[in-house]
Amino acid sequence: MGKIRAGIVGVHGYVPDYVLTNRELETMVDTSDEWIRTRTGIEERRILKGSGKATSDMAMGAILPLLEKTGTDPDEIELTICGTVTPDTIFPDTANTINSKIGASNAWGFDINAACSGFLFSLSTGARFIESGRYKKILVVGADMMSSIIDYEDRTTCVIFGDGAGAVLLEPVEDGTGLIDEILKGDGKGREYLHMKAGGSLMPATAETVADKKHFVYQDGRPVFKAAIRGMVETVQQIMTRNGLSNATVDWLVPHQANQRIISAVAEGLDFPVEKVMQNIQKYGNTTAATIPLCLWEWEDKLKKEDNLLLTAFGGGFTWGTTYLKWSYDS
Ligand code: ACO
């Protein structure tokens, strides 16, 4: 028997029906389809509409088909980890709400707040529980309703973000596949460039914080842009070196979908062939913790058992890193 690793044994995604196009954004803020396409690569993004709808509803939309396609009863799930910066409520954690909505009555759960790195941080955390030998079925979710924290009068942020969710099921595998290595970082040094100012213990919500629009995403895009490229390229290179990987032996690079130009610069920095880079930012924009599982979901039918995947992300905090895994099944 080989070493116990955490294998992804299924993936599914969910995006809401409403399509917010660049043309519609032109009617809302001083922007243009041309600016958005050339600066970000985004053509449209999805928005969750309807009162009473929240991040957990999108997570449920990803998880229920995932359970069905993997033949998993909700009661078999032991743990749900949800990467999100847009929890349904400050507390309790959205993972618990998800468990209730999917009927996972034997599970516990918690959220991980690591912005756009939320899925990678959650995946590694879930992997440790599987590797311990105690847990057999863990849901790892990346879900964000970014529209709930975006100021649709701020053209510098509202064109970028969208809503969505993706989920994977982790199980123990002993065939050499699964999560093999990771380098994850969160030094807090870049937090001034990308954050939400109010609503936490530092600046609790008041009528003034609402009037001053301090409950929306604040981003100074240029420093984030540069740090994102550097952070993803460096950690991908480090992971490749210490695992003896080359551009020829990596089958897929799965980058966080923040900006088409960032993705292209990362591929260029690694001299990595663009046809092996998963990209769907044009359809969904930046869905924060959901971008990577949404890519895995859309590419699932192209993935083969033992494919080498490098997942790389960068987000608010700053948080960033790269995870190396061998895909565990043929679709
Ligand atoms: N439409 C038209 N003009 C715009 C828009 C818009 N939507 N947004 C900004 N502009 C203007 C600016 O006001 C500025 O005008 P000025 O020169 O007159 O001042 C000009 O365009 C250039 O602005 P920049 O901010 O320099 O534009 P840039 O090319 O850097 O693109 C962007 C901005 C898209 C935000 C880019 O910096 C970026 O992608 N940054 C990184 C985003 C990211 O990776 N975030 C991390 C993950 S998110 C998370 O963790 C939650």
Side-chain angles (χ1 to χ4, degrees):
M1 289 225 297
K3 182 176 165 33
I4 296 178
R5 288 207 176 103
I8 293 178
V9 299
V11 59
H12 210 84
Y14 173 88
V15 288
D17 293 335
Y18 189 84
V19 178
L20 176 58
T21 62
N22 292 349
R23 291 283 175 218
E24 185 175 353
L25 281 164
E26 285 178 348
T27 69
M28 297 158 67
V29 289
D30 180 14
T31 191
S32 67
D33 176 51
E34 204 259 336
W35 192 97
I36 302 170
R37 280 174 196 261
T38 54
R39 294 300 183 107
T40 71
I42 301 167
E43 295 166 16
E44 56 189 43
R45 64 291 289 144
R46 301 299 182 97
I47 303 294
L48 184 63
K49 300 267 187 187
S51 70
K53 295 284 182 200
T55 296
S56 64
D57 294 297
M58 294 192 295
M60 182 175 66
I63 292 168
L64 291 179
L66 171 63
L67 295 178
E68 196 178 328
K69 77 198 225 191
T70 55
T72 308
D73 187 284
D75 280 340
E76 292 179 82
I77 300 298
E78 298 157 295
L79 170 61
T80 299
I81 305 174
C82 181
T84 187
V85 290
T86 52
D88 287 20
T89 51
I90 297 285
F91 77 92
D93 277 6
T94 302
N96 300 305
T97 309
I98 292 170
N99 284 340
S100 149
K101 288 188 175 176
I102 65 169
S105 52
N106 293 316
W108 65 292
F110 56 90
D111 293 356
I112 288 188
N113 178 336
C116 298
S117 309
F119 182 75
L120 287 198
F121 284 26
S122 301
L123 193 61
S124 288
T125 307
R128 297 299 94 78
F129 283 92
I130 295 281
E131 289 159 8
S132 75
R134 183 175 290 192
Y135 288 78
K136 309 287 184 230
K137 288 186 191 291
I138 295 178
L139 287 171
V140 176
V141 189
D144 269 302
M145 184 178 168
M146 294 306 289
S147 61
S148 66
I149 56 169
I150 291 297
D151 175 4
Y152 285 94
E153 293 180 345
D154 174 8
R155 69 177 182 173
T156 68
T157 51
C158 74
V159 301
I160 296 171
F161 293 96
D163 300 339
V168 298
L169 179 63
L170 291 185
E171 287 183 3
V173 290
E174 295 182 64
D175 56 4
T177 69
L179 255 77
I180 292 175
D181 198 6
E182 80 230 349
I183 295 173
L184 300 176
K185 308 263 190 175
D187 65 5
K189 288 184 185 155
R191 61 189 188 277
E192 69 183 278
Y193 301 117
L194 181 52
H195 58 251
M196 187 195 292
K197 294 186 189 305
S201 56
L202 182 65
M203 194 186 292
T206 63
E208 285 74 32
T209 62
V210 173
D212 291 345
K213 298 190 162 192
K214 288 186 169 149
H215 296 268
F216 292 125
V217 170
Y218 167 83
Q219 175 168 258
D220 182 354
R222 278 189 189 175
V224 181
F225 191 96
K226 286 186 193 150
I229 296 166
R230 193 172 53 243
M232 288 193 275
V233 168
E234 278 178 7
T235 52
V236 168
Q237 283 172 334
Q238 287 162 5
I239 281 280
M240 286 178 72
T241 302
R242 78 184 191 192
N243 289 281
L245 294 165
S246 68
N247 285 352
T249 56
V250 173
D251 296 288
W252 296 100
L253 181 66
V254 193
H256 167 54
Q257 310 284 302
N259 183 317
Q260 177 75 63
R261 290 186 296 142
I262 293 176
I263 297 170
S264 300
V266 169
E268 255 170 55
L270 296 165
D271 200 18
F272 194 82
V274 76
E275 59 276 12
K276 294 200 292 181
V277 181
M278 295 187 192
Q279 294 184 62
N280 59 13
I281 188 168
Q282 63 281 2
K283 291 193 291 183
Y284 304 135
N286 180 346
T287 54
T288 303
T291 65
I292 289 177
L294 282 175
C295 279
L296 294 176
W297 172 50
E298 292 206 318
W299 265 259
E300 186 188 22
D301 60 354
K302 295 189 182 64
L303 296 172
K304 296 188 296 299
K305 186 170 179 176
E306 298 193 344
D307 273 357
N308 287 317
L309 272 64
L310 295 179
L311 319 182
T312 188
F314 187 93
F318 294 142
T319 56
W320 72 101
T322 296
T323 297
Y324 167 38
L325 63 87
K326 264 189 190 296
W327 196 248
S328 293
Y329 62 98
D330 292 313
S331 65

